[in-house]
Amino acid sequence: MLSKLPVFMARFLPQRPALPGTPPAALEEQLGGQGHPAFRVGQILDWVYRKRVRRFEDMTNLPRGLREWLEANYTLEPAREALVKRSSDVTEKLLLEMEDRALVETVLIRYPQRGVGAEESRKTICVSSQVGCAYGCRFCASGLAGWKRDLTAGEIVGQFLHVCYIEDARALTDNQGSPGRRASSDDPVPFDNVVFMGMGEPLANYEAVVAAIRCLNAPWGLGFGARRITLSTSGLVPQIRRLADEGLQIRLAVSLHGATNPVRDAIMPINRKYPLEELIPAIEDFSGKNGRLVTLEYILIEDVNDFLEQAHALAGIAARLRAHVNLIPYNSVEGLTWKRPNIKRQQTFARVLREARVSHTIRKEKGHDIDAACGQLRLRTEKDRAVAAG
Ligand code: SAH
Ligand code: SF4
């Protein structure tokens, strides 16, 4: 509804906090203040995370007064759909609009499994943590438009739920059930992996991201295994060290993209603040405490970081960290002149890692034709909005 209001009106609407992501203790306190018994909290959480209804009025075992109070004080859908783009392969890119009209991207990627139908394919969702990004990496569309604001925990959880709504509706259509309602409270979450690789730097929005991960993981929330959650960071050293002490069993991916300081400095301004000699020990600390192997992400950009000298340095870092390396052929970004190296150059680079016995993959692309790289769909839509507004 909000998206249909003129821009100037939407700006003045009071923004309600999101119910998704609110910890049960906080909810219990607020409901207690309204004279409602504590067991209502469990009922509400069941509607939000298990049955996954999209309107308070559908929470039929709650008294009408409570449903009305919830409606007046919370939003159930902090992230509403503004646009969906399907690519010719198996990726769906959602552009979600927050209550203040901020736009963020959430991507659903299906990895088909040999010999099974589309519904059994493995599904990964890629979520955003901020509107834009302040870190200005030279290859990245999110960095180009700058940072607008952090997302709240509810807005991050809203992205997980939105993908659930889409997949739930699809499953119901397939089973010819009634639309908008799940068949059973015991149905699992309809995706297999979550990656924080959308717009923004998750560790720069630390509290909200950790709260959203706890809600995703908690039995009272979506009950999703921490081991299937990956957080990707450009390398904020103090926050990596703090995350190591959170006791979360999540995986860490680090966007390296340069294996020596001069090359990394030229691509990622963050490296001047936290150079490799600080970053590498912090990653070591994380994997030592958390017991999980770390992934190093490395975008291959022609004549910028795809030299063999970089491949050897990368092999050395990965061997020290016992890390897996994910080589990502660069996705061209509107307004940037860099290119991806041809297949032969990619393979020559990868051969150095193979010869050093470093575990690695070259990422097979999903959704290139729908601007799958971080921030690109939003950037284009913001530009279209600006043109439309004159
Ligand atoms: N801020 C975090 C998470 C978001 S960006 C981080 O930097 O890790 C996550 C990833 O998006 C980057 O590491 C990179 O792997 C990918 N990415 C961004 N721009 C890209 C581009 N132009 N081509 C290919 N991958 C890109
Ligand atoms: Fe921000 Fe990550 Fe993009 Fe760098 S790569 S600008 S940290 S979103």
Side-chain angles (χ1 to χ4, degrees):
M1 196 181 85
L2 202 58
S3 58
K4 297 200 177 69
L5 288 172
V7 181
F8 69 91
M9 279 177 70
R11 274 203 199 110
F12 295 110
L13 280 179
Q15 281 162 37
R16 293 162 298 168
L19 186 62
T22 303
L27 202 53
E28 190 175 328
E29 199 182 309
Q30 279 156 29
L31 292 191
Q34 297 296 310
H36 294 286
F39 72 85
R40 294 287 180 210
V41 172
Q43 290 178 320
I44 293 171
L45 297 175
D46 191 50
W47 286 113
V48 175
Y49 301 108
R50 299 276 169 279
K51 299 194 182 84
R52 301 198 277 265
V53 293
R54 298 171 74 172
R55 299 180 311 181
F56 289 110
E57 63 188 82
D58 290 335
M59 299 185 174
T60 48
N61 59 359
L62 303 184
R64 183 198 294 241
L66 176 53
R67 281 183 263 161
E68 284 170 0
W69 181 85
L70 287 169
E71 177 73 46
N73 289 282
Y74 286 102
T75 170
L76 193 50
E77 267 195 79
R80 286 172 187 269
E81 202 164 288
L83 185 70
V84 179
K85 271 201 175 187
R86 287 193 177 87
S87 77
S88 55
D89 58 18
V90 286
T91 306
E92 254 163 79
K93 188 144 191 169
L94 316 173
L95 193 63
L96 300 180
E97 188 173 58
M98 307 295 134
E99 288 227 313
D100 66 348
R101 291 194 94 229
L103 294 171
V104 305
E105 299 176 12
T106 308
V107 183
L108 171 62
I109 308 158
R110 294 166 212 276
Y111 295 92
Q113 305 281 85
R114 215 187 291 254
V116 296
E119 277 315 309
E120 284 98 317
S121 59
R122 290 184 67 73
K123 295 172 201 123
T124 293
I125 67 171
C126 174
V127 293
S128 295
S129 54
Q130 298 182 305
V131 185
C133 183
Y135 288 85
C137 301
R138 305 267 183 262
F139 51 82
C140 175
S142 296
L144 272 185
W147 175 87
K148 285 231 170 103
R149 71 170 174 86
D150 287 343
L151 292 180
T152 64
E155 288 169 332
I156 299 170
V157 174
Q159 296 174 66
F160 310 139
L161 283 174
H162 199 87
V163 172
C164 291
Y165 301 151
I166 290 178
E167 291 298 291
D168 290 348
R170 192 167 284 146
L172 276 172
T173 313
D174 290 352
N175 298 330
Q176 296 177 340
S178 57
R181 184 69 52 85
R182 288 173 65 75
S184 152
S185 307
D186 303 323
D187 281 357
V189 172
F191 44 78
D192 304 282
N193 292 292
V194 170
V195 296
F196 282 82
M197 290 188 187
M199 215 193 306
E201 168 47 55
L203 293 186
N205 184 16
Y206 191 94
E207 269 82 16
V209 166
V210 168
I213 290 173
R214 292 201 190 284
C215 171
L216 176 61
N217 183 226
W220 58 261
L222 283 163
F224 186 80
R227 288 168 179 272
R228 293 189 283 144
I229 304 170
T230 302
L231 185 148
S232 176
T233 178
S234 57
L236 274 60
V237 165
Q239 288 91 329
I240 292 175
R241 291 192 179 279
R242 185 173 167 198
L243 192 66
D245 293 323
E246 275 315 323
L248 288 168
Q249 289 293 301
I250 60 170
R251 293 167 188 248
L252 184 69
V254 177
S255 292
L256 205 67
H257 310 323
T260 56
N261 281 328
V263 169
R264 199 164 189 264
D265 279 348
I267 305 177
M268 303 179 73
I270 185 79
N271 196 65
R272 286 187 215 124
K273 190 158 185 199
Y274 303 118
L276 290 169
E277 58 275 18
E278 290 181 37
L279 177 59
I280 293 166
I283 301 172
E284 246 169 352
D285 181 46
F286 183 91
S287 49
K289 286 184 177 151
N290 160 289
R292 313 289 318 271
L293 296 183
V294 166
T295 298
L296 300 176
E297 294 170 86
Y298 197 97
I299 300 180
L300 287 168
I301 313 170
E302 187 171 280
D303 290 333
V304 173
N305 68 354
D306 68 339
F307 309 111
L308 290 187
E309 152 265 316
Q310 286 294 299
H312 286 288
L314 176 60
I317 295 172
R320 171 171 168 191
L321 294 170
R322 294 195 299 119
H324 176 82
V325 175
N326 193 8
L327 296 174
I328 307 161
Y330 175 66
N331 251 324
S332 51
V333 172
E334 222 176 283
L336 300 180
T337 51
W338 284 344
K339 283 199 316 199
R340 76 169 45 173
N342 63 31
I343 301 276
K344 195 162 170 279
R345 271 178 89 137
Q346 294 173 26
Q347 286 169 348
T348 309
F349 193 95
R351 192 183 313 133
V352 174
L353 300 182
R354 192 167 62 243
E355 284 166 0
R357 297 178 173 277
V358 167
S359 148
H360 65 282
T361 36
I362 300 184
R363 185 187 283 176
K364 205 168 153 274
E365 269 196 285
K366 300 275 173 213
H368 187 50
D369 61 332
I370 54 160
D371 312 314
C374 140
Q376 292 184 50
L377 183 62
R378 170 185 166 258
L379 197 65
R380 194 158 296 169
T381 310
E382 290 283 13
K383 279 185 190 160
D384 291 350
R385 264 187 184 176
V387 170

